[in-house]
Amino acid sequence: MLTINSSPLQGFTDFRFRNAFQQFFGGIDQYIAPYIRVNGKLEIKPGNRDILPANNGSLSLIPQIITKDADEFLFVAKYVQKLGYTELNWNLGCPYPMIAKRGMGSGLLSMPDKINEILTKVFAETDIHVSVKMRLGYESSREIFHVLPVLERYRLANITIHPRIGKQLYRGEVDLNTFEECIGLSSHKIFYNGDITSVQRFREMKERFPTINHWMIGRGLIADPFLPAMIKADVTVYPENRYEVFNSFHDALLSSYEEALSGRKHLLMKMYSLWEFFIQAFPQAQKCLKKIKKARSLSVYKEVVKQIIYDETFNVAQGFPSGK
Ligand SMILES: Cc1cc2nc3c(=O)[nH]c(=O)nc-3n(C[C@H](O)[C@H](O)[C@H](O)COP(=O)(O)O)c2cc1C
């Protein structure tokens, strides 16, 4: 059966986003939470409320850790188990130099022995299920060919592969040829992740990788929140009330962040960062992104958003090209 997971985006897919998303769109089997980093100290910051069950309703959520240390892994495993989770996802993909240069995220992919050492200890000392989310490497896309044989030694819940290297960040194309080679080298359940931004793109990927049934979507799902449900239904036509639903989703997010963020400035910055994605579904309104950035009051912000949504609804009703 086809499964679609929501890819973690630190700063975006927090519990407020996830809950609003689930309420208005769905189509997601599991949400992966943005990573927990304990940073040498074996303690969880008291402000870290993102994975508390009380904040995640009925969402199926998998916590994630970024670390290069088995003791940190075990500490976080114990913490999430206490909260009731049975799986912990290990981030071996983060490309940011501040992380990768410290040997974490994709920076660990050139050290298969270290990965082995960590997994040996983790598997000996906890019964939590471990899944892995990884890139092809940091410097080279050949790094993964030394990591996959190590991962074969362990009974992982699954492996998600985003076929870029860390050095690329998000530039360039996904390397589908190397991804294809990887499929044949792993007996694990494999999720494909990267650049799924439309039903059409998904269909192309499905055709290219007919044995892959598991997919993970990150940025594409923020830019077009209807995408996972439309992929599941195998349709390219949006629901008739597309913009009403989006509007309600937007308002729910806004009031949720209003509750959480102190001050208008923080709230407006937060909404602007989301609009950098949302605007992709409103191609006629690109120039309005600047207006959102410049909005200094909530009433101006709301007015601009209303206009963007109204204009797009009007354009579509008139038969002008729609968002996608
Ligand atoms: C702003 C931002 C934050 C991210 N945070 C995380 C994270 O916390 N953990 C993780 O595994 N990946 C993280 N990623 C990577 C995404 O989960 C995903 O692998 C990547 O964006 C490729 O998938 P996509 O093309 O569907 O977005 C982040 C990406 C972005 C752009």
Side-chain angles (χ1 to χ4, degrees), residues 7-10 12 34-35 64 91 96 133 162 164 170 193-196 216-220:
S7 197
L9 267 79
Q10 195 79 244
F12 291 93
Y35 63 72
Q64 186 187 62
N91 180 322
Y96 294 112
K133 180 168 177 289
H162 172 204
R164 282 192 169 89
Y170 293 90
N193 168 237
D195 296 7
I196 299 178
M216 190 183 268
I217 306 181
R219 294 165 298 170

Side-chain angles (χ1 to χ4, degrees), residues 2-133:
L2 172 82
T3 53
I4 302 180
N5 283 357
S6 156
S7 197
L9 267 79
Q10 195 79 244
F12 291 93
T13 61
D14 58 14
F15 74 87
R16 293 174 194 279
F17 181 90
R18 295 191 298 264
N19 286 315
F21 190 92
Q22 184 70 6
Q23 184 188 345
F24 291 97
F25 305 104
I28 291 298
D29 292 280
Q30 293 187 307
Y31 292 81
I32 315 300
Y35 63 72
I36 296 173
R37 181 179 171 200
V38 290
N39 225 354
K41 290 183 220 120
L42 294 188
E43 62 185 33
I44 302 288
K45 290 190 199 111
N48 196 336
R49 303 190 300 127
D50 189 52
I51 64 163
L52 297 185
N55 289 334
N56 287 282
S58 57
L59 293 183
S60 177
L61 185 69
I62 310 288
Q64 186 187 62
I65 182 172
I66 195 162
T67 187
K68 57 173 178 183
D69 182 276
D71 290 327
E72 284 186 3
F73 198 114
L74 291 165
F75 172 77
V76 172
K78 207 180 246 176
Y79 167 72
V80 302
Q81 276 183 318
K82 256 196 204 149
L83 295 177
Y85 296 101
T86 55
E87 180 179 331
L88 183 58
N89 184 267
W90 190 15
N91 180 322
L92 292 179
C94 183
Y96 294 112
M98 288 277 284
I99 296 277
K101 299 278 181 215
R102 293 190 175 133
M104 286 182 283
S106 63
L108 202 49
L109 292 170
S110 60
M111 297 176 240
D113 292 343
K114 177 107 185 161
I115 292 173
N116 188 40
E117 198 184 293
I118 294 169
L119 285 175
T120 301
K121 189 156 184 207
V122 164
F123 273 76
E125 296 183 31
T126 171
D127 59 359
I128 201 158
H129 299 297
V130 179
S131 53
V132 166
K133 180 168 177 289

